[in-house]
């Protein structure tokens, strides 16, 4: 199984977040494509053909301030995958503990 990923580190305050974007895959055999954080479990999507599919990954930062590694990942025996760089967003959806 081959794995390819793009990663970026960000420093975040405590709170709830959503990492989202679009991706597509072609001739994919294997687990699939996903967005996640490095310590998180992947939620694999297959994607098919030339259609872009939305991907979302929700997570929480528990520490007052923490470094998080965002991951766009492909895993499979064969196939190709693309992530739409312009669609990638990190959205804060809720605050941390007061």
């Amino acid at each position: 199984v081959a794995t390819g990923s793009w990663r970026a580190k960000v420093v975040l305050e405590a709170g709830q977040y959503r990492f989202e974007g679009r991706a597509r895959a072609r001739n994919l055999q294997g687990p699939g494509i996903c967005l996640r954080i490095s310590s998180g479990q992947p939620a694999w999507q297959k994607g098919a053909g030339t259609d872009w599919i939305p991907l979302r990954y929700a997570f929480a930062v528990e520490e007052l301030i923490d470094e998080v590694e965002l991951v766009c990942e492909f895993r499979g025996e064969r196939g190709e995958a693309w992530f739409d760089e312009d669609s990638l967003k990190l959205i804060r959806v809720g605050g941390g503990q007061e």
Side-chain angles (χ1 to χ4, degrees):
V1 175
T3 299
S5 66
W6 168 88
R7 295 165 182 259
K9 291 183 179 180
V10 293
V11 176
L12 301 174
E13 296 177 348
Q16 302 290 321
Y17 293 87
R18 185 174 64 240
F19 180 32
E20 64 181 44
R22 298 183 316 151
R24 65 181 179 183
R26 183 173 61 190
N27 301 323
L28 182 60
Q29 292 182 354
I33 53 179
C34 72
L35 299 180
R36 64 183 182 92
I37 61 172
S38 62
S39 62
Q41 292 297 316
W44 299 111
Q45 300 286 322
K46 290 293 184 183
T50 59
D51 293 336
W52 292 98
I53 61 169
L55 299 175
R56 291 179 182 83
Y57 186 81
F59 65 97
V61 173
E62 304 294 334
E63 301 295 322
L64 189 57
I65 295 179
D66 200 4
E67 184 177 76
V68 174
E69 188 171 39
L70 305 173
V71 181
C72 299
E73 187 170 6
F74 161 85
R75 187 173 296 173
E77 286 82 33
R78 72 168 40 149
E80 299 175 286
W82 298 265
F83 292 88
D84 179 6
E85 182 180 357
D86 292 334
S87 73
L88 297 175
K89 296 177 185 169
L90 178 61
I91 301 165
R92 185 173 182 160
V93 295
Q97 298 176 355
E98 301 298 323

